[in-house]
Amino acid sequence: MDGVPEPHTGWTFLTNHARVLAAIADNHNARIRDIAAHCRLTERAVQKIIADLEQDGYLSHTREGRSNTYRIDPTKTLRHPTEAVLGLTVASLLSVLAQDEAQRTDQPSQQHVTANRS
């Protein structure tokens, strides 16, 4: 999580909350500064998102010296009614994101996605 990437404009498929959660899943000891750089957010935005996730029980932290160690509750159901009714959990979201990340790092060449059309 080195360097500060260029800011992103326009819409995306994932929320900033999902991005922060995925960054924490990758490194439970990540600093807010590193999460912010990785997610292309301000540190203040990351602090607010972490507070939201903690308030609703998706995330907790313990203080270890000058740093935090985060713990994600993988059993929590996703908040959107469409996902909630299906019983989709944080674990299911993170597993999809982790699979995608693993595929991108395993295959250095550009991937092509084929969609089935009826």
Side-chain angles (χ1 to χ4, degrees):
M1 292 190 206
D2 293 4
V4 177
E6 292 295 318
H8 178 271
T9 58
W11 68 274
T12 63
F13 285 101
L14 296 177
T15 67
N16 290 336
H17 284 65
R19 282 189 186 82
V20 168
L21 198 62
I24 290 171
D26 286 342
N27 180 358
H28 290 278
N29 298 309
R31 298 178 308 167
I32 288 178
R33 174 179 295 157
D34 296 331
I35 297 168
H38 180 75
C39 296
R40 299 180 179 191
L41 299 169
T42 65
E43 290 179 35
R44 181 67 190 122
V46 171
Q47 289 172 334
K48 169 94 172 74
I49 289 168
I50 287 173
D52 289 346
L53 293 170
E54 285 186 318
Q55 180 178 351
D56 288 347
Y58 289 90
L59 185 66
S60 62
H61 77 276
T62 55
R63 191 84 170 147
E64 295 183 10
R66 293 178 54 194
S67 62
N68 291 322
T69 298
Y70 297 98
R71 186 181 92 49
I72 296 170
D73 182 350
T75 64
K76 288 286 286 185
T77 304
L78 300 180
R79 288 174 43 108
H80 192 280
T82 303
E83 288 95 23
V85 77
L86 295 173
L88 295 177
T89 63
V90 168
S92 60
L93 171 66
L94 293 175
S95 72
V96 169
L97 295 175
Q99 288 172 3
D100 179 59
E101 181 67 23
Q103 288 174 354
R104 284 189 279 133
T105 56
D106 287 347
Q107 298 177 1
S109 63
Q110 189 176 20
Q111 292 183 344
H112 296 282
V113 177
T114 305
N116 292 334
R117 295 185 182 179
S118 302

